[in-house]
Amino acid sequence: MISVVAVIPAAGVGKRMQADRPKQYLPLAGSTLIEQTIRRIHDLPFVTELVVSLSDDDPYWSELTIELDKPLHRISGGAERVHSVANAVRYVHENELSAWTLVHDAAR
């Protein structure tokens, strides 16, 4: 079976949502949107590792309790989504995690 690393850019602040927190941390069905996204992607059998790019000063990530049986790497995001994706893809390449990468935004 093919091995894929999932990249989840989540460094955004969700300005257009006008919420009290970034949209990836808004509640959805008993947990946050980012937790829902991570769990769904984690459950894909071909995904072997996950890389989440977050803002360095993200105050919400540490509040989450995400239990996974696959490695989850937290890396620094960028000023824009494109930079967060580039940072994550670079991390995957530099650490030789996989030849294949899937990118899925945390808040979509």
Side-chain angles (χ1 to χ4, degrees):
M1 177 179 353
I2 184 172
S3 163
V4 175
V5 173
V7 165
I8 304 169
V13 295
K15 292 178 223 169
R16 293 178 302 209
M17 287 291 292
Q18 298 179 357
D20 68 335
R21 63 190 59 226
K23 61 187 164 192
Q24 62 267 29
Y25 293 109
L26 293 175
L28 175 68
S31 61
T32 64
L33 184 55
I34 192 169
E35 289 172 297
Q36 295 285 344
T37 299
I38 288 171
R39 285 192 195 107
R40 296 304 182 281
I41 293 173
H42 169 271
D43 290 346
L44 297 170
F46 53 85
V47 171
T48 56
E49 299 189 48
L50 297 92
V51 177
V52 178
S53 54
L54 299 167
S55 172
D56 289 336
D57 59 352
D58 184 314
Y60 303 103
W61 178 256
S62 63
E63 297 175 5
L64 305 180
T65 54
I66 303 172
E67 295 182 24
L68 306 174
D69 60 2
K70 297 175 184 177
L72 174 66
H73 309 272
R74 176 190 172 164
I75 64 149
S76 294
E80 301 290 334
R81 184 178 301 121
V82 65
H83 304 115
S84 294
V85 171
N87 290 352
V89 170
R90 187 176 311 108
Y91 178 87
V92 170
H93 176 72
E94 288 173 355
N95 291 280
E96 300 179 359
L97 301 182
S98 177
W100 292 93
T101 304
L102 170 148
V103 178
H104 191 287
D105 191 82
R108 299 291 184 269

